[in-house]
Amino acid sequence: MPKPSLRDAILDAGLKEMFRTGYHGTSVRDVTAAAGAPQGSFTNHFRSKELFASEVLDRYFLYVRGLVAEALGDTTLTPRERLRSYLDLITGKLAHDGFTRGCLIGDFSLEASGSSEMLREQLDDIFREWRAPFAACIAEAQATGEIAADFDPDQLADFLLASWQGAMLRMKVERSEAALTRFKTIAFQTVFKELP
């Protein structure tokens, strides 16, 4: 009888470890120990740490897609309210972790994109895909006259995601919600201000 695969347990452990110690700070030994797996089982499933990290990133982005769909798909709210709802949803999750963890996509963008061309390209693809539902929501808000149409929806979506990532970095340093609150307050009183 074949042994059960430890692949999912290793990926789950890798996600937790990379959140905790980063891409470069996480070793194969750390991951297998956290998964309760023999070290050799890692190489049975993954050819390299870089390919493993790519799968961890895919797994994390699948989770993020679900959060985006949850917030931006709530048609009981106006488009502008949906944008705010997403940021509030993420703020709640960050608070649950004591403001110690941010976003693995942002963390990898800082840490791994300079040392792995494969991960850099993957992150670029993720940001392009991630931008699309936000751009669509912003375009809807502009079409209904809820927010100003001074900027292209894709540009505004990029601004929102990039600025939010920066706010999360500051949040991790301060270990408080202050940077997130500051971003939301300024963004929704300026760029995403509700039109009269």
Side-chain angles (χ1 to χ4, degrees), residues 4 12 27 38 44 61 63 78 105 108 119 122 135 138-139 146-147 159 175 177:
D12 288 342
S27 70
N44 288 340
F61 189 44
Y63 165 73
T78 69
I105 297 165
F108 270 39
L119 291 175
Q122 182 179 1
I138 290 166
E146 190 179 16
I147 66 172
F159 165 79
R175 295 284 196 262
E177 189 175 337

Side-chain angles (χ1 to χ4, degrees), residues 31-49:
V31 172
T32 54
Q39 199 165 340
S41 63
F42 182 94
T43 53
N44 288 340
H45 296 293
F46 309 101
R47 289 193 337 241
S48 69
K49 179 182 169 184

Side-chain angles (χ1 to χ4, degrees), residues 10-11 18 23 28 42-56 116 118-119:
I10 293 169
L11 283 165
M18 287 184 174
Y23 173 68
V28 170
F42 182 94
T43 53
N44 288 340
H45 296 293
F46 309 101
R47 289 193 337 241
S48 69
K49 179 182 169 184
E50 183 183 41
L51 289 169
F52 172 71
S54 175
E55 289 197 41
V56 167
S116 167
M118 183 192 79
L119 291 175

Side-chain angles (χ1 to χ4, degrees), residues 65-115:
R65 280 190 202 106
L67 297 177
V68 171
E70 178 183 338
L72 300 188
D74 183 356
T75 56
T76 64
L77 302 174
T78 69
R80 182 177 178 273
E81 290 170 337
R82 281 181 253 156
L83 293 172
R84 181 66 186 242
S85 173
Y86 174 79
L87 300 180
D88 290 342
L89 175 66
I90 299 302
T91 300
K93 294 192 175 299
L94 297 170
H96 182 265
D97 292 325
F99 302 110
T100 59
R101 290 189 344 181
C103 171
L104 197 65
I105 297 165
D107 292 347
F108 270 39
S109 295
L110 281 174
E111 189 182 7
S113 63
S115 58

